[in-house]
Amino acid sequence: MSARRGFGFARLLIAAGWVTVAAVSSAATAPKVHTVVIADMAFGPAPADVHVGDTVRYVNKDMFRHTATARDGSFDLDMQPKTSAETVVKKAGTINVYCRFHPGMKQALTVK
Ligand SMILES: [Cu+2]
C-alpha cells in the first residue's frame, strides 16, 4: 500500500514538472495570429512583429475573389468574397505577396 502511494507521488512530481516546462516554453514562443484585411482591391497594412511559426490570416472583405500568393511559392491562398484563409509562416525574411487576379495588389510581409 505504501509503495503504491510512493509511486503515485513520483508520478505527481513528474506531471508537475511537465506543466512547468510547458508553461515556460509557451510564454517564450507562443505563436500569434495576425490579421490582414483585404478591401477595396487592396491588402491592408502588413502586420508588424510577425515571427516564424505565427499565423497570418487574410480576411477578404471585398466583393471580389482575391488571392494572397507568396512570390517565393511558400503559400497561395485563394479567397472567395467574404471569406478568409490563413497560413503559418515558416521562415524569416521578407515575403512579397500579390494577388494572382489583380497583380497591382501587393504586400511585403516581413517575418522575423
Ligand atoms: Cu485580387
Side-chain angles (χ1 to χ4, degrees):
M1 196 66 178
S2 66
R4 268 187 74 177
R5 287 186 62 178
F7 183 64
F9 185 63
R11 284 179 58 183
L12 188 68
L13 281 180
I14 291 166
W18 271 110
V19 168
T20 304
V21 168
V24 169
S25 61
S26 71
T29 61
K32 292 194 179 114
V33 178
H34 308 269
T35 300
V36 175
V37 173
I38 302 172
D40 302 323
M41 302 291 287
F43 290 107
D49 219 32
V50 179
H51 290 85
V52 171
D54 286 357
T55 295
V56 180
R57 177 181 296 147
Y58 287 88
V59 180
N60 182 8
K61 293 190 174 176
D62 219 340
M63 49 186 167
F64 304 101
R65 180 182 174 188
H66 294 295
T67 74
T69 304
R71 193 124 355 235
D72 67 5
S74 58
F75 59 86
D76 182 17
L77 307 173
D78 192 338
M79 290 156 285
Q80 295 294 332
K82 313 298 180 190
T83 65
S84 64
E86 59 190 41
T87 185
V88 176
V89 287
K90 301 247 165 56
K91 61 173 182 162
T94 298
I95 303 170
N96 290 303
V97 180
Y98 69 104
C99 174
R100 284 191 276 114
F101 306 126
H102 314 102
M105 291 176 59
K106 293 175 187 171
Q107 179 186 63
L109 182 66
T110 301
V111 182
K112 298 171 188 171

